[in-house]
Amino acid sequence: MVVHHYRANVNMEEKLSQVTVMARSKMSVPLVVVVVLSVLLTGATHAGPEMDPYKILGVTRSASQAEIKKVYKRLAKEWHPDKNKNPGAEDMFIKITKSYEILSNEDKRANYDRYGQTDDTQPYSGNRYGQRHDSFYFDESFFNFPFNSKNHRDFADSKYILHFNQYVSDVVPDSYKRPYLIKITSDWCFSCIHIEPVWKEVVQEMEALGVGIGVVDVGYERRLANHLGAHRTPSILGVINGKVTFFHYAVAKEHLRQFVEDLLPQRLVERVTDKNDLQFLNSWHELNKPHVLLFDQVPVVPLLFKLTAFAYKDYLQFGYVDQGLSETANLQKQFNINTYAPTMLVFKENIDKPADIIQAKGMKKQIIDEFMSNNKFLLVPRLVNQKLFDELCPVKQFHRRRKYCVLLITGDEETFSFGNQAFLSFASTNAKEVVRYAYVYQRLQQPLCDILMQNKDSAQSPTQVVILERRNAAGKALFKPVTAWNGSEEDKQRLLEELERLQKDPSILIHDAMLPELNNEFASMFVIRWIYASYDYLSEVIDDILHNNWREMMPLLSLIFSALFILFGTVVIQAFSDSSDDKQTKPKAKDGTKAENGSPGTGGTSSRPPKKNFVEVTELTDITYMSNLVKLRPGHMNIVLVLTDASKNILLSKFAKEVYSFTGSLTLHFSFLNIDKHSHWMNTLLEYAQDATQIDAEEDDSGNHKIDYTGYVLALNGHKKYLCLFKPVYTGEDLDNKSSEDEGGASGGRSRSSSRDDHPPRKSNRSRSISTLQIHHKLDRLGLWMERLMEGTLPRYYIPAWPGLDKITPVK
């Protein structure tokens, strides 16, 4: 930040005239002479020390612009206050910047070379009296108070300046992971000057520990200051979990450090000794979290460890062992703890052996954060809520590697313990980067388990292993039940073989479903958390009553009464609502339908979300044929559904559902072709594509071969003259049938004769009268085929030219 110095220019003649008038009315002639001399001497005295930009930058007067720029970059880097801790670094940096501003501008440089001036209104005293000037100058040093003005704000504060939108969008959400220390200041604040040295020391220490820092200038951010409830300067406040707490004590380093520590919840870190160590470590199963133990010799839990515990409170449980106590001797001996440096251990399912360890003198925040991030989850965690499910089994992203979840559906009774332990053993020996292992209790997550096990006989064992891949955030997932799990060696071998197959062929996940949102198994702990939060809040209210005035208390009281009103209002509404369950069920069903309609088998495949809530499908006719196909722009494709008059409504509805999530792509267009009118065009097109797959034919009443194209989908690239073919599959009749994308790829290798009459007729097993349900199921695998189309893995059939669409097949 460049600090500009301003000098007040006063016209000499105007001053002399004013003095003359005053002299005539009130003063004698000798007194006038004294006043004039005083003014001149004052201007000379406060003109400021001589400043030569050439000497400051260390260049000659003949130096070129390139040389000046090169020297400036070197000096600015050397004297920048953020890198140079010399007390005079800031002043030197200002001089260097000002000198470069003068010498880099040809006009200012010429002005200085001729008159010794930096600009039209700000001369340097070195050559001031060498030329004739009709003005004199007041240097700002005459009024130089170290206020926190906009142009004189400290470098250390400038990078922490907060604005209202920044506070709401960044600071408040981040305060749920770390506390913030915010200073309220303003221009012309004398008291702010006195706390600056202490504030700088505290900021340097707290920021290294991970505390967020902010500065609010009331003169420029009055809205934010009012939002925070700050009505005087200077003020210091803390923000944690979205709550604002004011600092009321003397501004000292120890007091501010204790203030930050008091902001944190009191039950973040548990004291662990030889008496309660087993109870602490064994709670991993109940809490579904790894446990972290810090061994150190200080009697008080280090603030850095408390801040780390607050940041990772949703993932890890923290304990502290004081090595100076005799009650911790057995723990130190059991884990062979070094007494000369702090040691951090993380325990997962095995409480006898730590899963990871770190030991170092003066642990840094970056090292601890990396250690915690690598151990956030158990080896085989239990799916207890939707947030954990989203992190363990993330939605497939188009530009990332696939992630699979191996899920054990089991129970919490003692009879399942052997199988659960065997699953944990299998996961520990077959850990892979692309595979996550987890388990779920069928009794607590019944909706999810019902969907994943719906294709299995109810007589089978309730314990089941399922491999799944999530495709989008709406709940779409592909899965495959692998085996009934008893923990035997055969079960382990079967699961291992399926995982190896999955790496080679992801299409083995043949089932798809919309997964419901998981129940929050820890919801019962809400009452306990609310009691703790209420206790902390009441403590703050009492503290505010003792220190604040009622004007500052109004937002706090308003928040309390609003919370109570919402809480009891919700209870009353639920108690007197007779149809609350029905009202909650219907929106869920609608949301599920929307998600199903809007995400037909793709997670992150479409790089753009759909812009409309409908799919625009145009009919391919002789009028639209040229624009929608022949003259289609390079890189664009037309997805054409083949249908008949009888199946038009059913197939178009299903087609729209399957391709909806791909409508965000700007290169895809959607059309339909009525085969009743243009069967000749279809036959000609497939004859051109001689490598296309062999198409099943049916016999009509006269014994002629008739090809049923209903439900076929063509991806046509008009510019490069090739097509990709989708053949319908009756998944409603045969769930084990391979997907159409496999048929489109595997059967693509079978050559197709130029004349379909060379093939012997094959009798179709299906009835000529296809039911509505069968027609609807023809496009079940279209979503998967579209994904392969977007990935570019489908076979392409090139044609010499597009056949004309001007002929209409007569209806017989």
Side-chain angles (χ1 to χ4, degrees), residues 401-654:
R401 198 174 180 183
R402 293 174 181 264
K403 296 284 186 180
Y404 301 102
C405 247
V406 180
L407 187 61
L408 173 66
I409 301 175
T410 183
D412 53 353
E413 293 84 3
E414 187 66 27
T415 55
F416 297 100
S417 59
F418 177 78
N420 298 345
Q421 190 63 34
F423 187 73
L424 173 61
S425 175
F426 178 87
S428 61
T429 56
N430 294 278
K432 297 179 181 179
E433 183 181 355
V434 298
V435 177
R436 285 277 195 178
Y437 296 90
Y439 70 99
V440 61
Y441 285 151
Q442 186 175 1
R443 179 178 59 85
L444 300 177
Q445 302 292 346
Q446 193 66 45
L448 174 68
C449 298
D450 288 344
I451 290 178
L452 296 179
M453 300 178 66
Q454 63 183 353
N455 296 323
K456 294 296 176 183
D457 189 356
S458 59
Q460 292 184 355
S461 171
T463 306
Q464 183 74 41
V465 174
V466 177
I467 302 177
L468 64 88
E469 178 190 14
R470 299 183 64 198
R471 308 311 297 263
N472 59 29
K476 183 79 172 182
L478 300 179
F479 67 94
K480 179 182 180 182
V482 178
T483 177
W485 185 265
N486 297 316
S488 63
E489 293 299 324
E490 292 79 6
D491 294 341
K492 294 181 180 179
Q493 184 62 32
R494 192 178 299 112
L495 178 56
L496 183 61
E497 291 174 357
E498 287 294 329
L499 290 176
E500 292 176 353
R501 284 184 57 200
L502 183 64
Q503 287 185 335
K504 299 176 182 178
D505 183 16
S507 63
I508 68 172
L509 304 180
I510 58 176
H511 303 287
D512 60 89
M514 297 296 299
L515 302 182
E517 184 172 344
L518 269 65
N519 300 324
N520 187 2
E521 297 181 14
F522 290 154
S524 58
M525 300 177 64
F526 170 77
V527 177
I528 299 176
R529 293 180 181 177
W530 187 83
I531 293 174
Y532 287 153
S534 301
Y535 172 79
D536 294 337
Y537 215 77
L538 287 175
S539 301
E540 291 183 14
V541 170
I542 295 173
D543 185 66
D544 286 337
I545 292 175
L546 295 177
H547 295 92
N548 287 3
N549 55 40
W550 283 103
R551 178 187 176 187
E552 296 177 351
M553 282 293 298
M554 288 304 296
L556 187 63
L557 295 175
S558 175
L559 183 61
I560 293 175
F561 284 111
S562 299
L564 293 175
F565 177 79
I566 293 173
L567 179 64
F568 290 106
T570 303
V571 173
V572 171
I573 291 173
Q574 290 182 348
F576 290 94
S577 177
D578 296 331
S579 58
S580 60
D581 294 338
D582 296 337
K583 291 181 179 179
Q584 292 174 2
T585 304
K586 290 180 180 178
K588 286 184 178 179
K590 292 181 180 179
D591 293 342
T593 305
K594 281 186 178 180
E596 183 178 359
N597 295 347
S599 54
T602 178
T605 300
S606 181
S607 59
R608 296 173 178 264
K611 298 180 179 180
K612 304 176 182 178
N613 57 359
F614 62 89
V615 180
E616 185 175 350
V617 184
T618 59
E619 183 175 4
L620 196 64
T621 63
D622 56 341
I623 299 176
T624 62
Y625 184 65
M626 295 297 292
S627 60
N628 287 0
L629 178 59
V630 179
K631 293 185 178 180
L632 204 60
R633 285 182 291 176
H636 287 237
M637 298 190 72
N638 197 346
I639 313 301
V640 180
L641 169 66
V642 181
L643 48 75
T644 61
D645 289 331
S647 61
K648 180 176 179 179
N649 293 334
I650 299 172
L651 286 180
L652 278 178
S653 176
K654 180 67 174 178

Side-chain angles (χ1 to χ4, degrees), residues 13 44 60 71 112 158 172 250 283 396 431 462 492 507 531 537 564 571 602 663 672 674 681 706 735 761:
E13 295 178 359
T60 63
V71 172
Y112 176 78
S158 61
V172 172
S283 61
K396 179 208 167 189
K492 294 181 180 179
S507 63
I531 293 174
Y537 215 77
L564 293 175
V571 173
T602 178
T663 56
F672 70 90
N674 193 328
W681 179 87
K706 182 181 179 182
L735 289 172

